[in-house]
Amino acid sequence: MEREGEQVDWPSYLNSFSVISAQIYTLMKLLKNDKTPILRNFLTLPLQLNAESDEKLLLATEGRVPSFSHDFVPNMLRTKPEPDVEQRHLALEAKMAQANADTALKQINVHNKVVKHVMDLVNTAREEWETETASRTNQPQTCSVNETHALIAALGTGKGFKIRTQPPGPSPTMPQQPPPQITTTSKAVSAVKTNIKAANTIHPYNR
């Protein structure tokens, strides 16, 4: 399709697609059948090897396998572990063979006790968590969603408030206050000035 562009023969592509989809459907139906044996119990053998590099295989294996050639197939399809892993496994088997039966039985019992204790702790913590979660969900409701929405609408838009209208009639008059009294202080100021002048003229130390 990328090479041909607009000159693609769509009927042939659609026919091929329908054939492929029918084969995939048949294959899935056979795999889901109860009489079909488990595929992991069978060996996988390559039918064809290719020494050329495959970009899709390289991308699928994250750059580990560039091609399905004779160099990589024995490592990818082997049933034995790697040499290092095999040596460790043999060392563990030799250590197990040298151990005494009573000592091994004691170690197994101690291991089972530790595992049981850990399982008890986990189960107790799970029961406490489930009980706490159930108690939180069963708490009585302390608020009403409808009342909360009504309060927000009243504060935001004034919904639910009643506007009071003044009854027809004379408007109330404010009580009149008496006018403030104005006191004159000119005479007092003049009297103070005259008194100061008189005191200056008659001073006891001006002799």
Side-chain angles (χ1 to χ4, degrees), residues 23-68:
Q23 292 177 354
I24 292 175
Y25 176 76
T26 305
L27 180 62
M28 295 298 295
K29 187 176 180 180
L30 292 174
L31 292 175
K32 291 180 179 179
N33 192 3
D34 297 334
K35 297 181 180 180
T36 303
I38 302 175
L39 295 179
R40 64 171 175 267
N41 296 332
F42 295 89
L43 297 176
T44 303
L45 299 177
L47 299 178
Q48 184 179 0
L49 300 179
N50 189 6
E52 297 180 358
S53 60
D54 190 356
E55 295 180 358
K56 295 182 179 180
L57 181 63
L58 186 65
L59 182 62
T61 57
E62 298 180 354
R64 294 189 298 270
V65 182
S67 62
F68 202 68

